[in-house]
Structures are given as C-alpha cells and as structure tokens.
C-alpha cells in the first residue's frame, strides 16, 4: 500500500505551478450589432432589418401612447430605469390596456418591485379610513359591554340557598377538634428478622 502512494507521488515542481483556467467556447458571449443596437435603444427599430418590418406598425402604435416618466437609474439595479412605483390595483380597470389583467401596455417597463406592485400582490384595504375603523370598533365594544350589563341586571338569582353548618364544618374538614390521623410506620429489617 505504501509503495503505491510513493509510486503515485508527484514531484515538487507540480506543487509550485499555478493552475490556469480556460473558458470553454459555450461560455464566450458573442453579440451581433443588431443585438447591441437593441440594448442601446430598445424602442428603435432598424429600417434595414427585414424581419422587423412586420412589427413596425405595432411599435409605432404603442410608441404614440403616453408612457410614464422614468425615474433616474441607480447603480444598484444595473442602470435599469424604473417607472414610478404605482400599484396595478389603483390603475383604471376599464382602461384600454394591452394586458387587461395586469393593466399594462405593450413595451411598458416594469418596476423592479413588480412582485409587490403587481395585480397578484396583496391588495391595499382602502374601504375605510383609520378613523372610521376605530369608530366602528368602539361601537362594537360598546354594544358588547352594554349587552353584558343588561344580562347582569336581569340574570335570575340561584333557585336554592346555600346550606350552612353551626361549626362551619371545622371539625369535619380537619380543624382544631378533629382526630389526627395515625402515622403507620413500616417495620424495619431487624424487626422483620425477629418475627
């Protein structure tokens, strides 16, 4: 066993070399000029691309619609310009949206907190103000306490009278005049041997 480990031992020069990493061809990212132009200006359609000719009327239609003013990009989100944070719940449900369920138009940028601002996030409860809610809670508490007061006034007395004793069961419950219990001691081992 020791001979195998000595035979497989590598020379010290192997330990002194630094490892080199080579990226595979699948990891090298190449980008075309059309893709780079789309990254630089996503709304612009290049006139020389024949495949985009079909989408020019659609892009022109949605480009004419008013878009929200984008806020300045922060360095933490990679330069993405966020629209103003507005919950989709508060948008007009009968508006002419491209996506009726999400209340969103085609090509409209999505806020980075879309999971909080989207339609499927928990809805904000706006039916009552806090003041009206506390008034309604006060009415409820007052009603319950008033009902308890009415019940306590009209609740009938017990139909029987408690039984009384002359001594108050002092002797029966182990008071001064009661007999003390006898303590029964178990015989020791010596007493058991004597028997």
């Amino acid at each position: 066993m020791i001979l195998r480990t000595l035979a497989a031992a590598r020379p010290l020069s192997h330990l002194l070399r630094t490892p080199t990493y080579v990226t595979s061809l699948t990891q090298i990212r190449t980008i075309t000029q059309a893709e780079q132009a789309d990254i630089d200006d996503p709304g612009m359609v290049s006139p020389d691309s024949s495949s985009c000719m079909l989408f020019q009327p659609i892009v022109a239609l949605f480009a004419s619609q008013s878009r929200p003013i984008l806020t300045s990009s922060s360095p933490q989100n990679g330069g993405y310009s966020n629209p103003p944070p507005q919950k989709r719940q508060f948008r007009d449900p009968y508006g002419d949206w491209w996506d009726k369920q999400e209340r969103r138009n085609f090509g409209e940028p999505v806020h980075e907190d879309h999971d909080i601002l989207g339609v499927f996030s928990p809805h904000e409860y706006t039916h009552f103000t806090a003041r009206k809610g506390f008034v309604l809670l006060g009415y409820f508490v007052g009603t319950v306490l008033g009902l308890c007061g009415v019940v306590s006034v009209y609740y009938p007395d017990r139909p029987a009278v408690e039984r009384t004793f002359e001594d108050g069961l002092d002797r029966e419950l182990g008071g001064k005049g009661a007999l003390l219990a006898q303590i029964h001691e178990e015989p020791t081992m010596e007493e058991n041997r004597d028997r």
Side-chain angles (χ1 to χ4, degrees):
M1 190 70 156
I2 295 175
L3 294 176
R4 284 185 192 172
T5 56
L6 290 175
R10 304 207 195 288
L12 290 175
S13 63
H14 177 73
L15 295 174
L16 298 176
R17 278 187 280 155
T18 57
T20 57
Y21 298 103
V22 178
T23 57
S24 65
L25 291 177
T26 58
Q27 293 177 338
I28 298 173
R29 174 78 173 126
T30 57
I31 190 165
T32 63
Q33 290 180 352
E35 289 174 340
Q36 183 63 40
D38 190 40
I39 291 171
D40 293 340
D41 189 8
M44 185 179 151
V45 178
S46 59
D48 60 340
S49 61
S50 59
S51 63
C52 294
M53 295 299 283
L54 298 173
F55 296 111
Q56 282 184 356
I58 296 172
V59 172
L61 173 71
F62 289 113
S64 65
Q65 294 182 356
S66 62
R67 291 190 177 188
I69 299 170
L70 302 178
T71 58
S72 62
S73 62
S74 68
Q76 293 182 348
N77 63 2
Y80 182 76
S81 296
N82 281 322
Q86 179 189 20
K87 281 186 76 80
R88 304 293 172 141
Q89 167 191 359
F90 299 125
R91 285 189 169 186
D92 182 20
Y94 304 107
D96 188 26
W97 303 108
W98 181 75
D99 184 359
K100 303 282 187 198
Q101 185 172 6
E102 274 289 325
R103 300 175 189 166
R104 182 174 173 262
N105 284 327
F106 179 82
E108 179 181 353
V110 178
H111 195 275
E112 66 180 341
D113 293 329
H114 177 69
D115 55 343
I116 299 170
L117 301 172
V119 169
F120 296 111
S121 64
H123 286 266
E124 288 186 21
Y125 190 77
T126 57
H127 298 292
F128 295 118
T129 61
R131 181 176 179 177
K132 187 172 181 181
F134 284 122
V135 168
L136 292 174
L137 183 63
Y139 284 150
F140 171 74
V141 170
T143 303
V144 169
L145 292 179
L147 181 65
C148 290
V150 168
V151 167
S152 67
V153 168
Y154 290 107
Y155 195 75
D157 290 335
R158 289 170 54 172
V161 178
E162 289 186 18
R163 188 172 172 190
T164 58
F165 299 94
E166 294 177 13
D167 299 336
L169 294 177
D170 187 44
R171 199 174 110 230
E172 285 80 6
L173 294 176
K176 291 180 183 177
L179 291 172
L180 297 177
Q182 294 180 359
I183 299 173
H184 178 68
E185 294 181 10
E186 293 186 19
T188 60
M189 293 179 66
E190 294 174 2
E191 292 176 358
N192 282 337
R193 272 189 261 159
D194 294 340
R195 287 186 186 178

